[in-house]
Amino acid sequence: MIELKDYSYDREQMVEQQIVKRGIKDKRVIEAMKKVPRHLFIDKVYQHQAYKDYPLPVGKGQTISQPYMVAVMTELLELKPEHTVLEVGTGSGYQTAILALLCAKVYTIERIAGLKEKAVQRLNRLGFRNIGFMVGDGSLGWPQFAPYDRIIVTAGAPKIPDALIKQLADNGRLVIPVGTEFYQTLNLVEKYKGRIYRKELFECTFVPLLGKEGWHKD
Ligand code: SAH
């Protein structure tokens, strides 16, 4: 059967109620969130919940972040159309799509091959052509295309990985949840003239960043 529901009303409501009302002001972020069909990043069984105010499972024990969290993190990046962005934790690819609408090029890393493959298919089908994908340990960054104007990590880290600080461009911004495996504080790191400035913003909950500069799992 053909899927007729396009969810555009639900999406409009999500943006108005969960994002604009809670104080997100960046017009480009708001427009991007109105455009990207979030339900296409979620398995059929959960699709009717795609525009609700919480994270959802995307398989392999991982989650697609709450829409508001995607908006907050994206706004904090202060993206410009010419920027190159590194994303750690592709997951469903939803945050990747938002980034790709707002900047020149996104490099995204996911440690689980099955999730990366699904994200590649979705984003190709939607017509995105400015995304580079890699399966690997994003706690080490992706040195080949560094430096990055912006870096976003969508998994919780025990500390800010040195590799990411190194790969951040001057005048760059990095957003990353840092804390325990169960809850974290969102950190904003800025680099000016080679110096690092760090702000702790608010509490949040992400799945753990696993890897060499993340949490270690045997
Ligand atoms: N932004 C994603 C959220 C994904 S959840 C979305 O909107 O769907 C975080 C993701 O980070 C998971 O898919 C997990 O597998 C991945 N991850 C955890 N540690 C990682 C690492 N070291 N490198 C790359 N990806 C990692």
Side-chain angles (χ1 to χ4, degrees):
M1 230 173 90
I2 302 167
E3 175 65 81
L4 289 175
K5 188 162 168 69
D6 76 351
Y7 289 98
S8 52
Y9 176 76
D10 304 59
R11 188 157 55 250
E12 191 76 26
Q13 285 298 304
M14 171 193 88
V15 173
E16 290 307 324
Q17 302 300 325
Q18 300 173 34
I19 289 166
V20 176
K21 265 201 184 155
R22 287 194 187 131
I24 299 294
K25 295 212 163 51
D26 186 328
K27 290 213 165 56
R28 296 178 71 233
V29 174
I30 294 167
E31 281 316 302
M33 296 207 52
K34 281 186 181 167
K35 264 192 208 142
V36 177
R38 185 173 155 93
H39 62 284
L40 299 182
F41 290 80
I42 292 169
D43 286 343
K44 279 252 167 359
V45 277
Y46 296 110
Q47 228 165 50
H48 62 289
Q49 299 179 62
Y51 297 97
K52 304 278 191 210
D53 196 13
Y54 41 75
L56 287 167
V58 291
K60 318 264 181 203
Q62 307 304 319
T63 52
I64 178 171
S65 307
Q66 176 199 25
Y68 175 65
M69 187 56 72
V70 173
V72 169
M73 291 175 87
T74 310
E75 186 172 64
L76 281 168
L77 288 176
E78 297 183 357
L79 287 168
K80 297 205 175 114
E82 64 272 19
H83 281 160
T84 296
V85 177
L86 175 68
E87 180 192 32
V88 176
T90 316
S92 67
Y94 175 71
Q95 171 80 70
T96 322
I98 301 289
L99 297 169
L101 282 179
L102 298 173
C103 71
K105 180 88 193 186
V106 181
Y107 293 95
T108 184
I109 312 176
E110 170 56 54
R111 56 178 285 279
I112 301 175
L115 292 181
K116 177 246 180 189
E117 278 318 315
K118 272 189 168 176
V120 169
Q121 281 170 20
R122 288 179 185 122
L123 292 160
N124 278 341
R125 210 175 297 141
L126 288 170
F128 287 96
R129 296 289 176 266
N130 59 340
I131 304 169
F133 296 89
M134 178 171 92
V135 173
D137 180 3
S139 75
L140 302 175
W142 191 343
Q144 191 182 349
F145 301 106
Y148 301 96
D149 301 302
R150 303 291 188 253
I151 300 179
I152 175 169
V153 180
T154 61
K159 64 178 177 72
I160 298 171
D162 291 339
L164 299 185
I165 290 180
K166 250 186 222 139
Q167 292 171 34
L168 186 64
D170 212 38
N171 300 317
R173 290 166 86 85
L174 155 67
V175 289
I176 178 170
V178 181
T180 72
E181 278 176 271
F182 308 104
Y183 65 92
Q184 304 88 26
T185 304
L186 194 69
N187 278 233
L188 170 66
V189 176
E190 293 172 271
K191 198 188 249 187
Y192 290 115
K193 300 193 170 136
R195 290 191 60 174
I196 297 300
Y197 301 85
R198 172 177 170 174
K199 272 186 215 140
E200 296 194 345
L201 301 176
F202 55 84
E203 302 286 297
C204 54
T205 307
F206 283 82
V207 298
L209 179 78
L210 300 179
K212 205 149 181 218
E213 291 200 44
W215 298 98
H216 304 285
K217 282 259 158 78
D218 304 312

